[in-house]
């Protein structure tokens, strides 16, 4: 449902203020063919209102003839910035990049962040951006989860459906997604509201049941028949189930890359303003499904890349699978119980 330019401009002003944008700082807005015009026009107004020097860098699309999905998160790793020294120089010379195109899971994103530039991803439609404007409370909740991840050596995920997954932790940092970029060199995604990390390489084993109603992304489907995934030494080695399982496997095989079957990030949803059911009300191409990734109490796991945390696995195949009704425990301490969030701050 549409929102007004005024409402989205105010939302941008809030997010840029939370991101500590200062007068005279330089903002580069990365755009592409799928950038929403209202998101762009209101970002420009809000960034100028903050006194920033605002540039636009419009990128030509890549990978279109290789990908089997139009979702920008479906085919990752190479972007219009890959091998593009001029565009990289502009991003690195900026204090803040507003990514309205999607660089996520690319070595170029990591390289820009290393220069101290902040990157904020924002590609959801305007009404979802406005509904999920981040807050300091979101940040506090995600940070509390991140502290627990950083202090833990094991994540165990179980469910009545039969999930039983054990992941060793410690090799990789916690990645916090609370929707704004308030530190130099930080990446975040507006909208979001979840914490994640990666299992230690090769140290993730067990069974994951993707049950009825659980979500496959970028398919944007609610699974109708359970998928039984066998995880061995950090890779999904078997997928058994009905047509959902066959469709997923067929899609992943198109990449012809065994690294796409590796476990990627693992974590849980903390956003109580996001809902499991929202995805079902949108056409597939209208959203990348951030409500599905962020709804409070999900267990979100992913397959594919680990470049976000400095890993070498730059596979183009990236699958996100949020599960309901799981229990997630860190060194035995439950953070989600049967799909319901445990309030860490209250429990402390
Ligand atoms: O914000 C995001 C989006 C996709 C993903 O896999 C991780 N975080």
């Amino acid at each position: 449902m549409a929102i007004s330019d005024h409402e989205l401009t105010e939302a941008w002003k809030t997010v840029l203020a939370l991101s500590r944008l200062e007068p005279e700082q330089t903002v580069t807005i990365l755009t592409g063919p799928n950038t929403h015009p209202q998101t762009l026009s209101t970002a420009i107004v809000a960034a100028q209102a903050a006194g920033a020097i605002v540039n636009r860098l419009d990128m030509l699309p890549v990978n279109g003839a290789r990908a089997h999905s139009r979702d920008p998160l479906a085919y990752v790793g190479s972007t219009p910035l890959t091998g593009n020294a001029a565009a990289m120089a502009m991003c690195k010379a900026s204090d803040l990049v507003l990514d309205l195109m999607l660089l996520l899971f690319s070595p170029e994103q990591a390289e820009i962040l290393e220069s101290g530039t902040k990157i904020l991803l924002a590609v959801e439609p305007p009404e979802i951006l406005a509904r999920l404007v981040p807050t300091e409370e979101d940040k506090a909740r995600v940070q509390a989860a991140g502290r627990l991840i950083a202090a833990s050596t094991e994540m165990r995920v179980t469910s009545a459906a039969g999930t039983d997954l054990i992941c060793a932790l410690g090799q990789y940092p916690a990645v916090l997604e609370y929707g704004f970029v308030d530190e130099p060199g930080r990446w975040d995604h507006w909208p979001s509201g979840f914490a994640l990390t990666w299992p230690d390489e090769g140290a993730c084993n067990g069974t994951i049941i993707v049950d009825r109603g659980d979500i496959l992304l970028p398919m944007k489907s609610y699974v109708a028949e359970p998928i039984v995934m066998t995880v061995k030494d950090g890779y999904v080695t078997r997928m058994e189930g009905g047509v959902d399982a066959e469709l997923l496997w067929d899609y992943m095989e198109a990449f012809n890359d065994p690294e796409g079957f590796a476990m990627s990030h693992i974590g849980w949803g903390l956003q109580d303003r996001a809902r499991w059911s929202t995805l079902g009300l949108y056409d597939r191409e209208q959203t990348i499904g951030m409500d599905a990734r962020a709804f409070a109490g999900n267990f979100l796991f992913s397959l594919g890349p680990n470049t976000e945390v400095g890993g070498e696995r730059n596979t183009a195949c990236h699958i996100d699978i949020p599960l309901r009704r799981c229990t997630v425990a860190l060194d035995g301490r439950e953070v989600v119980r049967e799909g319901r969030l445990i309030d860490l701050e209250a429990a402390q």
Side-chain angles (χ1 to χ4, degrees):
M1 195 171 282
I3 62 167
S4 69
D5 287 354
H6 169 68
E7 193 174 354
L8 192 56
T9 303
E10 290 305 300
W12 268 116
K13 286 180 178 177
T14 300
V15 172
L16 294 177
L18 285 167
S19 299
R20 298 184 185 159
L21 179 61
E22 305 288 342
E24 302 309 311
Q25 285 189 325
T26 299
V27 173
T28 290
I29 306 179
L30 267 186
T31 59
N34 300 318
T35 295
H36 194 290
Q38 188 182 35
T39 303
L40 172 59
S41 62
T42 52
I44 293 169
V45 170
Q48 285 198 302
I53 300 160
V54 183
N55 302 310
R56 277 184 61 180
L57 181 51
D58 190 52
M59 307 305 296
L60 297 175
V62 295
N63 300 327
R66 276 195 287 271
H68 285 257
S69 158
R70 294 162 63 105
D71 184 309
L73 270 169
Y75 195 100
V76 296
S78 56
T79 76
L81 268 65
T82 304
N84 187 336
M88 288 295 285
M90 184 167 178
C91 290
K92 289 180 177 180
S94 304
D95 298 288
L96 171 62
V97 168
L98 300 181
D99 177 6
L100 309 189
M101 180 201 74
L102 202 134
L103 294 174
L104 185 53
F105 296 113
S106 69
E108 287 73 32
Q109 172 165 297
E111 187 182 329
I112 292 166
L113 294 170
E114 274 152 30
S115 74
T117 298
K118 303 185 286 189
I119 301 178
L120 182 66
L121 173 63
V123 294
E124 283 288 54
E127 71 279 6
I128 296 183
L129 293 175
R131 172 167 52 86
L132 296 176
V133 172
T135 64
E136 290 286 3
E137 292 72 31
D138 290 342
K139 174 181 175 182
R141 203 172 326 114
V142 171
Q143 283 187 316
R147 283 192 296 273
L148 199 53
I149 289 172
S152 300
T153 60
E154 180 185 278
M155 179 186 290
R156 181 164 190 177
V157 185
T158 56
S159 75
T163 291
D164 192 348
L165 184 75
I166 296 181
C167 308
L169 305 181
Q171 180 175 355
Y172 293 116
V175 173
L176 311 185
E177 295 199 29
Y178 48 77
F180 53 95
V181 284
D182 47 351
E183 303 292 342
R186 176 170 166 72
W187 171 86
D188 210 315
H189 187 174
W190 170 32
S192 58
F194 47 91
L196 43 88
T197 187
W198 270 251
D200 293 357
E201 287 305 321
C204 184
N205 290 280
T207 301
I208 302 173
I209 307 294
V210 183
D211 204 2
R212 288 177 194 79
D214 290 339
I215 292 170
L216 300 178
L217 298 168
M219 293 77 196
K220 306 203 181 94
S221 60
Y222 292 88
V223 162
E225 291 176 76
I227 303 173
V228 181
M229 289 190 181
T230 304
V231 181
K232 194 164 169 18
D233 300 333
Y235 285 78
V236 173
T237 55
R238 280 171 67 83
M239 280 188 209
E240 298 152 278
V243 73
D244 297 293
E246 293 175 64
L247 284 167
L248 177 59
W249 189 273
D250 184 76
Y251 169 79
M252 292 180 73
E253 276 197 322
F255 288 85
N256 193 25
D257 181 359
E259 293 305 298
F261 291 85
M263 287 297 291
S264 183
H265 55 79
I266 50 175
W268 67 99
L270 293 154
Q271 182 52 266
D272 50 18
R273 290 176 285 148
R275 300 196 68 80
W276 165 74
S277 58
T278 303
L279 183 71
L281 285 305
Y282 273 79
D283 294 340
R284 277 203 179 113
E285 297 194 6
Q286 282 178 319
T287 170
I288 60 169
M290 288 309 290
D291 274 84
R293 289 186 181 84
F295 72 86
N298 75 27
F299 167 61
L300 172 66
F301 78 98
S302 174
L303 303 178
N306 65 1
T307 47
E308 277 320 275
V309 282
E312 296 304 312
R313 195 166 41 249
N314 185 23
T315 177
C317 178
H318 170 242
I319 308 288
D320 277 330
I321 307 180
L323 305 181
R324 295 186 299 166
R325 300 172 182 153
C326 289
T327 295
V328 181
L330 292 168
D331 291 349
R333 177 174 176 180
E334 290 179 354
V335 292
V336 177
R337 182 179 302 136
E338 296 173 8
R340 302 197 66 76
L341 206 50
I342 307 280
D343 181 344
L344 294 182
E345 289 155 305
Q348 248 152 9

